[in-house]
Amino acid sequence: MTAKVLIHDPTLRDGHHAVRHRLEVDQLRDYAAACDKAGIPVVEVGHGNGLGASSLQVGRAALSDERMLATVREALSHSRMGVFMLPGWGTTADLRTALAHGADVVRIGTHCTEANLAERHLGFLRETGAEAHGVLLMSHMATPQQLAEQCALLVEYGAQAVGILDSAGHFLPPDVTARITAIAAAVEVPVIFHGHNNLGMAVANSLAAAQAGAGIIDGCARGFGAGAGNTQLEVLVPVLERMGFSTGINLYGLLDAADIAERTLMPAPPVTNSLSIVSGLAGVFSGFKNPVLDLAGRAGVDPRDVFFELGRRQAIAGQEDLIVDVVAELSARGEVRI
């Protein structure tokens, strides 16, 4: 029998990182409508860091959460609408708002060893009857067994699907295989994989995840996302189909949606450039790219040094203030570019 893989498209959420969270109504509506026509099962929308995250620290969005949700909900007739929330940025009130605006799938994300932070929010979602997923960020910082144990906790709290984000684009296929295999053996719900392309491995890693038992795979049009971007959706889907997995997505519709995304959402598709490679090697959150470039540029510090130092300190998403400290210390030591 052909194995089924559910495709989850966070283009309108993760892609916000690449344009400093400035997508407008027409952009959201047109891409969401194209996804709906193509039969993409889940279209995720929101600030790059999720519900409630629009702020000076990580960037103010051009639109409120409510406006983004209402716009995408109106554009979807068949596809489900997904949202993402990080405890600490978002609150139960933000979840209520998302559900009131028709969110069908809600993901709660935590650091890879801190699943307990999702307990209250997953419990709330369970009480409302919403479809709730739990995902672990920066998953290269934990062993396969640790991730399996954390995912089992997420299921205990009420998650109906669980999985990992390769937030730094650090994995190679064997790394993904080991982790997805361990998680799939520990839980009886669908397993999720979300890749980033810092080392050019996102499609290969996603295929490895599917082969190891992941039932939900993320991908973004033209890879539109933080840093070097995400798994390129219009490549991922036909590769999965060639390997015997069924996605139910119309190929021409998918390609049309990707063309719309390139034309209307981004100045240019993301590329795996020198800084992205360093970010992947260092194991640093891809969303740090813009603040690292800004702060290092003003101080005359080599951004590659900043990424490697952030990696040494095991910086995680939400610790953007640490970039300021690292840049200041490198500058004080005289490690500036001429």
Side-chain angles (χ1 to χ4, degrees), residues 252-266:
Y252 281 14
L254 174 66
L255 298 176
D256 289 343
D259 290 342
I260 288 170
E262 181 175 357
R263 187 169 64 248
T264 67
L265 300 183
M266 61 197 81

Side-chain angles (χ1 to χ4, degrees), residues 69 76 203 212 318:
L69 291 164
L76 300 179
V203 170

Side-chain angles (χ1 to χ4, degrees), residues 114-205:
E114 298 176 348
N116 61 299
L117 296 179
E119 181 176 7
R120 181 161 59 92
H121 298 101
L122 288 172
F124 166 77
L125 292 168
R126 179 173 54 196
E127 291 173 1
T128 66
E131 181 172 338
H133 296 179
V135 291
L136 302 173
L137 282 66
M138 301 297 285
S139 55
H140 67 282
M141 290 184 171
T143 67
Q145 185 57 36
Q146 287 174 319
L147 293 171
E149 292 168 357
Q150 294 290 302
C151 282
L153 284 176
L154 292 171
V155 173
E156 181 181 324
Y157 300 150
Q160 295 157 284
V162 295
I164 56 175
L165 278 64
D166 182 17
S167 310
H170 184 72
F171 284 148
L172 300 177
D175 302 320
V176 175
T177 297
R179 284 160 174 79
I180 296 298
T181 298
I183 295 168
V187 302
E188 296 182 356
V189 299
V191 177
I192 301 162
F193 180 73
H194 171 109
H196 279 260
N197 205 40
N198 297 61
L199 299 178
M201 302 302 296
V203 170
N205 285 341

Side-chain angles (χ1 to χ4, degrees), residues 93-104:
D94 294 306
L95 294 178
R96 288 195 182 95
T97 296
L99 294 174
H101 281 81
D104 300 296

Side-chain angles (χ1 to χ4, degrees), residues 303-325:
R304 296 171 296 187
D305 292 339
V306 177
F307 268 114
F308 278 122
E309 180 61 20
L310 289 168
R312 188 186 69 79
R313 299 188 188 193
Q314 295 193 314
I316 62 174
Q319 292 183 316
E320 284 78 2
D321 54 340
L322 191 57
I323 302 171
V324 178
D325 296 340

Side-chain angles (χ1 to χ4, degrees), residues 83-123:
V83 294
F84 175 80
M85 195 193 85
L86 295 168
W89 287 117
T91 66
T92 301
D94 294 306
L95 294 178
R96 288 195 182 95
T97 296
L99 294 174
H101 281 81
D104 300 296
V105 181
V106 181
R107 282 186 175 177
I108 305 297
T110 72
H111 184 60
C112 59
T113 57
E114 298 176 348
N116 61 299
L117 296 179
E119 181 176 7
R120 181 161 59 92
H121 298 101
L122 288 172

Side-chain angles (χ1 to χ4, degrees), residues 20-22 47 49 52-62 89 287 290-291 294-295 298 318-321 323-324:
R20 301 178 187 268
H21 316 286
R22 306 308 295 174
H47 184 281
N49 289 65
S54 180
S55 63
L56 289 175
Q57 184 176 356
V58 294
R60 289 207 178 276
W89 287 117
N290 286 331
D294 291 345
L295 292 165
R298 288 201 292 269
Q319 292 183 316
E320 284 78 2
D321 54 340
I323 302 171
V324 178

Side-chain angles (χ1 to χ4, degrees), residues 6-45:
L6 181 77
I7 297 296
H8 189 110
D9 179 357
T11 298
L12 297 179
R13 197 273 303 169
D14 211 326
H16 255 123
H17 286 295
V19 290
R20 301 178 187 268
H21 316 286
R22 306 308 295 174
L23 295 179
E24 296 283 358
V25 166
D26 289 350
Q27 295 169 297
L28 298 178
R29 183 187 59 241
D30 292 351
Y31 180 71
C35 289
D36 193 70
K37 186 176 180 180
I40 294 173
V42 181
V43 179
E44 188 175 283
V45 62

